[in-house]
Amino acid sequence: MSKRTWATLRGKLPLLGVLGFLSAASISARAQAPTASPAPPQGKQPAAAAPTPREKAWGILREALRDDSADKRANAVRALGLLPRNDEAGKAAIIALKDDKANVRLAAAVALGSLHAEHAASELEKVLNDSEPAVVLAAANSLLLLHNDAGYDVYYGVLTGERRGNKGLIKGQLDTLKDRKKMAELGFEEGIGFLPFAGIGYEIFKNVAKDDSSPVRAAAAKKLAHDPNPDGGVALVAATTDKNWTVRAAALEAIAERGDPSLVLKITAAMDDSKELVRYMAAACVAHLSDLPAKNVPAETGKP
């Protein structure tokens, strides 16, 4: 090596040393640095937890209760009747009583009876002024299920065609109930107490004409069996001479269930009814009431 070359290298040695030190430090730092975690794969997110059966059930009901279809709302409200003493179900049914569609209001009135929603009695009483007789009858039936006697006033009006004092059906509703065609449209549907013939048998169902109002009136007679008002008994006795035998039979069944022996002499003529089933019903009713002890009737106080 020439003297000139050595002199040049010796001049660069300090610089090379610094560069070597920095390079070694950089390698050491990289070796000691923590390894970065790999980035998570793109696109796949954690799956949401599946709803519980209860959450799914209420989701279905709540969606149906808000549906634009009145039929779907009515069906959902009717289903609420399977949830007795459930606060949310009771509140939803009360709201449905104000629906602009009669079939939804009808379903709500039925459901509140099935729910045993005694707190809803005052709301059901308001529905007794509904323009649709079917809704009124549904409300009356539910009121009786809730041990509210306001329902009896409605059934008295259906059977007699008259108001009980200033209570019960208003004139327009009574006029509708006198319309054979409109009454027939009420039919045995909607679970509103139009199946009162357990003690009479299925024969009534086979013999009732579809254009006849007698099924509704017969149901009303049966509903008056436990009416505490004495004029309920008077109405039932009068119904034992109705021109339709299904009403006569239903009235006799209700009188037997009422258990008032003082009515025996008032129904004996029914044992000669032209309809065989009515004769048998009358005979059984008379036999039953004749075996009961007389009810104590408070003596009238004399006028001073």
Side-chain angles (χ1 to χ4, degrees):
M1 181 182 300
S2 66
K3 291 182 180 181
R4 186 175 179 180
T5 302
W6 168 248
T8 301
L9 286 175
R10 189 175 60 180
K12 292 182 178 180
L13 280 177
L15 178 60
L16 291 173
V18 172
L19 291 175
F21 174 78
L22 291 176
S23 176
S26 175
I27 293 171
S28 176
R30 287 198 302 270
Q32 294 178 19
T35 305
S37 300
Q42 296 294 321
K44 208 165 187 181
Q45 299 298 328
T52 66
R54 184 180 187 279
E55 291 170 341
K56 179 179 179 180
W58 272 111
I60 292 172
L61 290 172
R62 289 166 184 153
E63 182 178 356
L65 290 169
R66 297 190 299 266
D67 201 278
D68 291 337
S69 167
D71 288 340
K72 288 185 179 180
R73 296 199 305 275
N75 288 332
V77 172
R78 186 178 303 282
L80 295 177
L82 300 178
L83 296 161
R85 297 179 177 83
N86 181 285
D87 287 342
E88 181 171 354
K91 290 176 182 177
I94 289 174
I95 291 173
L97 284 177
K98 301 177 178 65
D99 198 278
D100 60 347
K101 297 297 184 181
N103 62 331
V104 180
R105 301 196 302 274
L106 174 59
V110 173
L112 287 169
S114 301
L115 287 168
H116 307 294
E118 295 184 4
H119 63 282
S122 60
E123 297 297 329
L124 284 168
E125 286 188 38
K126 296 176 184 177
V127 177
L128 297 181
N129 294 319
D130 197 281
S131 59
E132 291 293 333
V135 178
V136 175
L137 291 167
N141 187 64
S142 287
L143 283 168
L144 294 186
L145 291 175
L146 300 178
H147 311 291
N148 186 307
D149 290 350
Y152 288 122
D153 300 329
V154 171
Y155 286 108
Y156 179 88
V158 174
L159 181 62
T160 66
E162 300 174 356
R163 294 193 78 190
R164 174 182 277 172
N166 61 348
K167 299 179 293 184
L169 298 170
I170 59 177
K171 184 180 183 303
Q173 293 167 329
L174 286 173
D175 290 342
T176 299
L177 292 172
K178 292 176 184 177
D179 186 312
R180 288 169 61 90
K181 182 178 180 181
K182 290 183 179 178
M183 286 285 279
E185 289 173 355
L186 298 180
F188 296 104
E189 303 296 326
E190 312 301 348
I192 52 180
F194 287 178
L195 303 175
F197 310 114
I200 297 176
Y202 190 69
E203 184 180 353
I204 282 190
F205 285 37
K206 295 186 295 182
N207 289 277
V208 170
K210 291 184 178 180
D211 62 347
D212 192 359
S213 66
S214 60
V216 182
R217 293 173 50 245
K222 191 65 173 65
K223 288 293 181 180
L224 291 176
H226 299 289
D227 180 9
N229 196 313
D231 65 3
V234 174
L236 287 172
V237 169
T240 62
T241 61
D242 193 272
K243 64 181 180 180
N244 189 285
W245 70 270
T246 62
V247 177
R248 300 197 301 272
L252 286 163
E253 185 180 357
I255 289 172
E257 192 174 339
R258 194 175 179 85
D260 184 355
S262 69
L263 301 179
V264 169
L265 296 179
K266 300 177 180 180
I267 62 171
T268 53
M271 291 190 290
D272 297 317
D273 196 280
S274 60
K275 184 68 178 179
E276 182 180 86
L277 179 59
V278 178
R279 291 200 305 272
Y280 297 159
M281 293 292 295
C285 183
V286 168
H288 169 63
L289 296 181
S290 297
D291 290 338
L292 297 178
K295 290 186 176 182
N296 293 326
V297 179
E300 292 185 7
T301 56
K303 293 183 180 179

mmCIF file of all heavy atoms in Angstrom, residues 32 62 94 113 176 181 185 230 288:
data_model
loop_
_atom_site.group_PDB
_atom_site.id
_atom_site.type_symbol
_atom_site.label_atom_id
_atom_site.label_comp_id
_atom_site.label_asym_id
_atom_site.label_seq_id
_atom_site.Cartn_x
_atom_site.Cartn_y
_atom_site.Cartn_z
ATOM 1 N N GLN A 32 -34.456 -5.637 19.781
ATOM 2 C CA GLN A 32 -35.114 -5.546 21.081
ATOM 3 C C GLN A 32 -36.545 -5.032 20.982
ATOM 4 O O GLN A 32 -37.298 -5.127 21.939
ATOM 5 C CB GLN A 32 -34.301 -4.608 21.982
ATOM 6 C CG GLN A 32 -32.940 -5.174 22.324
ATOM 7 C CD GLN A 32 -32.146 -4.209 23.182
ATOM 8 O OE1 GLN A 32 -32.720 -3.313 23.786
ATOM 9 N NE2 GLN A 32 -30.834 -4.396 23.237
ATOM 10 N N ARG A 62 -95.131 -7.512 18.819
ATOM 11 C CA ARG A 62 -95.042 -6.051 18.723
ATOM 12 C C ARG A 62 -95.085 -5.573 17.275
ATOM 13 O O ARG A 62 -95.706 -4.555 16.970
ATOM 14 C CB ARG A 62 -93.750 -5.576 19.403
ATOM 15 C CG ARG A 62 -93.776 -5.707 20.928
ATOM 16 C CD ARG A 62 -92.397 -5.554 21.523
ATOM 17 N NE ARG A 62 -92.401 -5.765 22.963
ATOM 18 C CZ ARG A 62 -91.357 -6.203 23.660
ATOM 19 N NH1 ARG A 62 -90.213 -6.484 23.035
ATOM 20 N NH2 ARG A 62 -91.448 -6.370 24.969
ATOM 21 N N ILE A 94 -105.648 -2.547 25.806
ATOM 22 C CA ILE A 94 -106.390 -1.321 26.111
ATOM 23 C C ILE A 94 -106.203 -0.294 24.995
ATOM 24 O O ILE A 94 -107.151 0.380 24.577
ATOM 25 C CB ILE A 94 -105.944 -0.745 27.468
ATOM 26 C CG1 ILE A 94 -106.452 -1.650 28.610
ATOM 27 C CG2 ILE A 94 -106.457 0.676 27.656
ATOM 28 C CD1 ILE A 94 -105.946 -1.251 29.972
ATOM 29 N N GLY A 113 -110.948 -9.732 28.620
ATOM 30 C CA GLY A 113 -111.634 -10.689 29.474
ATOM 31 C C GLY A 113 -110.770 -11.902 29.736
ATOM 32 O O GLY A 113 -110.672 -12.385 30.875
ATOM 33 N N THR A 176 -130.177 -1.675 15.804
ATOM 34 C CA THR A 176 -129.326 -2.590 15.050
ATOM 35 C C THR A 176 -129.574 -4.029 15.479
ATOM 36 O O THR A 176 -129.641 -4.944 14.653
ATOM 37 C CB THR A 176 -127.842 -2.237 15.251
ATOM 38 O OG1 THR A 176 -127.609 -0.919 14.766
ATOM 39 C CG2 THR A 176 -126.937 -3.214 14.508
ATOM 40 N N LYS A 181 -130.870 -9.213 9.775
ATOM 41 C CA LYS A 181 -129.686 -9.460 8.971
ATOM 42 C C LYS A 181 -128.417 -9.098 9.722
ATOM 43 O O LYS A 181 -127.443 -9.863 9.747
ATOM 44 C CB LYS A 181 -129.767 -8.673 7.664
ATOM 45 C CG LYS A 181 -128.581 -8.914 6.732
ATOM 46 C CD LYS A 181 -128.745 -8.149 5.423
ATOM 47 C CE LYS A 181 -127.555 -8.389 4.506
ATOM 48 N NZ LYS A 181 -127.677 -7.640 3.236
ATOM 49 N N GLU A 185 -125.306 -11.539 11.222
ATOM 50 C CA GLU A 185 -123.897 -11.355 10.901
ATOM 51 C C GLU A 185 -123.007 -11.516 12.136
ATOM 52 O O GLU A 185 -121.832 -11.834 12.028
ATOM 53 C CB GLU A 185 -123.685 -9.981 10.274
ATOM 54 C CG GLU A 185 -124.247 -9.865 8.861
ATOM 55 C CD GLU A 185 -124.165 -8.444 8.330
ATOM 56 O OE1 GLU A 185 -123.765 -7.550 9.103
ATOM 57 O OE2 GLU A 185 -124.510 -8.234 7.157
ATOM 58 N N PRO A 230 -133.684 -8.350 39.779
ATOM 59 C CA PRO A 230 -134.891 -9.192 39.639
ATOM 60 C C PRO A 230 -135.519 -9.138 38.254
ATOM 61 O O PRO A 230 -136.124 -10.121 37.814
ATOM 62 C CB PRO A 230 -135.837 -8.613 40.707
ATOM 63 C CG PRO A 230 -134.939 -7.968 41.702
ATOM 64 C CD PRO A 230 -133.783 -7.431 40.913
ATOM 65 N N HIS A 288 -135.813 -29.370 39.146
ATOM 66 C CA HIS A 288 -134.669 -28.818 39.887
ATOM 67 C C HIS A 288 -135.104 -27.730 40.867
ATOM 68 O O HIS A 288 -134.732 -27.758 42.043
ATOM 69 C CB HIS A 288 -133.652 -28.257 38.896
ATOM 70 C CG HIS A 288 -132.564 -27.444 39.525
ATOM 71 N ND1 HIS A 288 -131.651 -27.971 40.422
ATOM 72 C CD2 HIS A 288 -132.258 -26.119 39.407
ATOM 73 C CE1 HIS A 288 -130.821 -27.011 40.815
ATOM 74 N NE2 HIS A 288 -131.165 -25.886 40.211
#
